[in-house]
Amino acid sequence: MSVQNSDRTISRKQRLQEKQRRQLAVVDTVDKAEAKVRKAEIELAVAVTEAVQVFGDEQSASEGLDMPVEAIRRFLGMAQDESASASDVAGTS
């Protein structure tokens, strides 16, 4: 007859709980990273918007920034969407 040490034996439930805890930690890390990426994209969009104003138009900004016009337009759209979202939030406060 063998005796099991209860300190070393982890129940199936405990193993599953630990696995779930690790998975949730990974999901949390990914969520935080995605939020940082989104913030960086918004900051870049604002900078591109300012560059378009400085260069005068999208084509000149594209050449000056060495960035395709499509990317310039995408960032302009993001900045516009962000501005609209900020206006909506300010209006509901």
Side-chain angles (χ1 to χ4, degrees), residues 45-91:
V46 170
V48 167
T49 300
E50 292 172 1
V52 169
Q53 292 171 352
V54 168
F55 284 104
D57 62 25
E58 293 173 6
Q59 184 61 43
S60 298
S62 171
E63 293 167 8
L65 297 173
D66 193 27
M67 183 181 288
V69 174
E70 296 80 22
I72 298 282
R73 289 182 181 143
R74 183 173 77 86
F75 285 119
L76 290 173
M78 286 176 65
Q80 188 174 24
D81 291 347
E82 185 65 21
S83 178
S85 293
S87 298
D88 289 347
V89 169

Side-chain angles (χ1 to χ4, degrees), residues 20-31:
Q20 184 180 33
R21 185 196 63 75
R22 288 192 312 267
Q23 288 172 337
L24 289 173
V26 169
V27 169
D28 186 48
T29 300
V30 170
D31 286 347

Side-chain angles (χ1 to χ4, degrees), residues 9-25:
T9 304
I10 298 176
S11 72
R12 181 171 183 246
K13 180 179 177 182
Q14 288 170 320
R15 285 193 311 270
L16 291 173
Q17 286 174 332
E18 178 60 20
K19 182 178 179 180
Q20 184 180 33
R21 185 196 63 75
R22 288 192 312 267
Q23 288 172 337
L24 289 173

